Amino acid sequence: MSTENTRRTGLITTKVGMTQIFSEDGEVIPVTLLKADGNVVMGVKTNDKDGYNAVVMAFEDAKPSRVQKPVKGKFDKVKISPKKHVKEFRVSKDAILNVGDVLSVEHFIIGQAIDVQGVNIGKGFAGV
């Protein structure tokens, strides 16, 4: 793994669905479709001020009426529209981005290994 791969921040996405594609030799490859557009850098944390380097990402527009006033104030301060999801990604010092930058899937390098985390919605008592 090159050092270039470790310098990149993550993206927040939502799962759209599943499909399959076929390789040239006819092999079926399962594919998960993710919606990743609209990732905005909401904040930057530096080692000098906060003790570590991180980038705070926000994703998916939210209705202003559904956002609490203190949270809306944080979005107003950085001049971006309120978002539903906010996540912090630790990065190296040379991977710090600017507040307001918009990231997409072009942010990643072809062949780069990624880590994926998912959040499962509860189904209640669905039986055995």
Side-chain angles (χ1 to χ4, degrees), residues 42-56:
M42 183 180 159
V44 175
K45 297 191 176 191
T46 60
N47 199 18
D48 299 333
K49 186 176 177 185
D50 302 300
Y52 62 97
N53 295 316
V55 175
V56 181

Side-chain angles (χ1 to χ4, degrees), residues 4-47:
E4 182 68 26
N5 291 348
T6 60
R7 295 182 189 158
R8 303 209 175 259
T9 184
L11 292 179
I12 307 170
T13 63
T14 55
K15 183 176 177 179
V16 176
M18 295 287 296
T19 188
Q20 60 188 5
I21 58 174
F22 296 94
S23 65
E24 292 179 7
D25 60 350
E27 182 183 356
V28 177
I29 303 168
V31 177
T32 302
L33 302 174
L34 301 173
K35 176 184 173 190
D37 57 341
N39 277 275
V40 180
V41 177
M42 183 180 159
V44 175
K45 297 191 176 191
T46 60
N47 199 18

